[in-house]
């Protein structure tokens, strides 16, 4: 659905907003400024984690902050070491998005944001904004909580990345970082289910 929406878009910049999240009023204006630098491919912001209950004002005032990257120089290795981009905080240069998307587009449902940002970093830099400009709603139905799907998609991503033709020490390091994330998530799932003690 995001790819279909991108194809219908006409602006130079695109921003993403999942249906249960929200932006603060200054989010777009604040984020657009960083794209005056032509080297910027995408940008992310901090987010306030809110629940499905309670007053929105109270949630914003007391909500936990989900931080994006603190560094202003994010490379692909750092991105795979610890992914800190919430899709609803993202803004990207439309031309860079279309340049980096493969054909056909991978059929990811959970890691599509990670895959997109990873690809974008080949065509420009990520500029993080250290302000909570997005509201991220956390509830039992968050799709990212479906670890089986996540683990399956990570396996496919690693297969695609391994056959991409890239070869360097950086590539090996990136693959190791993603495998570490995979194994950590798998172990966490097993511990929660009681399969491991």
């Amino acid at each position: 659905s995001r790819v279909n929406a991108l194809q219908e878009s006409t602006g130079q910049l695109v921003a993403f907003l999942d249906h249960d999240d929200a932006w603060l009023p200054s989010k777009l204006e604040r984020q657009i400024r960083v794209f005056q630098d032509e080297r910027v491919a995408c940008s992310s912001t901090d987010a306030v984690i809110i629940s499905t209950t309670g007053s929105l004002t109270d949630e914003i005032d007391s909500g936990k902050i989900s931080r994006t990257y603190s560094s202003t120089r994010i490379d692909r290795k750092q991105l795979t070491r610890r992914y800190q981009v919430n899709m609803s905080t993202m803004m990207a240069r439309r031309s860079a998005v279309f340049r980096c998307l493969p054909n056909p587009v991978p059929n990811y449902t959970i890691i599509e944001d990670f895959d997109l940002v990873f690809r974008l970093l080949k065509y420009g830099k990520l500029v993080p904004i250290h302000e909570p400009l997005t509201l991220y709603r956390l509830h039992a139905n968050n799709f990212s909580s479906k670890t089986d799907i996540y683990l399956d998609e990570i396996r496919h991503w690693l297969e695609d990345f391994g056959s991409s033709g890239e070869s360097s020490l950086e590539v090996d390091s990136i693959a190791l970082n993603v495998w570490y994330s995979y194994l950590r998530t798998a172990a966490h799932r097993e511990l929660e289910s009681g399969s491991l003690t």
Side-chain angles (χ1 to χ4, degrees):
S1 60
R2 286 196 181 113
V3 173
N4 291 337
L6 283 165
Q7 289 170 342
E8 294 295 322
S9 66
T10 57
Q12 293 181 15
L13 303 174
V14 291
F16 306 90
L17 181 63
D18 288 344
H19 72 282
D20 53 354
D21 299 337
W23 293 330
L24 293 182
S26 60
K27 193 259 190 191
L28 295 177
E29 179 184 1
R30 174 72 182 87
Q31 208 164 20
I32 283 170
R33 294 179 202 155
V34 306
F35 288 90
Q36 292 175 357
D37 181 346
E38 291 294 325
R39 296 169 298 174
V40 176
C42 56
S43 172
S44 60
T45 77
D46 292 346
V48 181
I49 299 175
I50 61 175
S51 69
T52 54
T53 61
S55 157
L56 189 59
T57 302
D58 291 342
E59 291 276 356
I60 293 170
D61 291 341
S62 62
K64 180 182 175 185
I65 305 295
S66 172
R67 304 284 181 195
T68 190
Y69 295 98
S70 56
S71 169
T72 55
R73 295 178 62 86
I74 315 302
D75 60 21
R76 295 191 308 165
K77 191 158 48 171
Q78 185 174 353
L79 189 84
T80 55
R81 190 176 300 124
R82 186 170 181 203
Y83 185 67
Q84 292 178 256
V85 177
N86 179 303
M87 193 63 176
S88 288
T89 77
M90 272 281 293
M91 182 178 284
R93 202 175 294 279
R94 184 176 181 271
S95 59
V97 171
F98 279 106
R99 199 178 334 156
C100 78
L101 284 178
N103 188 13
V105 175
N107 189 25
Y108 297 133
T109 54
I110 291 180
I111 68 164
E112 62 178 328
D113 54 334
F114 162 76
D115 181 62
L116 175 60
V117 177
F118 182 84
R119 292 175 189 277
L120 280 168
L121 286 182
K122 286 188 74 173
Y123 297 96
K125 62 182 182 176
L126 165 68
V127 175
I129 296 176
H130 311 122
E131 298 174 37
L133 300 173
T134 305
L135 308 179
Y136 173 68
R137 199 174 302 279
L138 188 66
H139 49 72
N141 294 322
N142 281 101
F143 206 45
S144 56
S145 65
K146 299 181 179 179
T147 54
D148 288 342
I149 298 171
Y150 168 79
L151 293 173
D152 187 53
E153 290 185 359
I154 285 291
R155 279 195 299 270
H156 282 99
W157 189 91
L158 283 163
E159 289 170 10
D160 289 345
F161 183 62
S163 62
S164 66
E166 294 189 51
S167 60
S168 70
L169 288 175
E170 181 196 20
V171 167
D172 292 342
S173 178
I174 286 169
L176 283 172
N177 286 343
V178 177
W179 267 117
Y180 175 74
S181 174
Y182 172 89
L183 293 172
R184 185 178 57 208
T185 303
H188 184 71
R189 181 192 61 179
E190 295 300 308
L191 283 169
E192 282 192 336
S193 71
S195 300
L196 295 176
T197 55

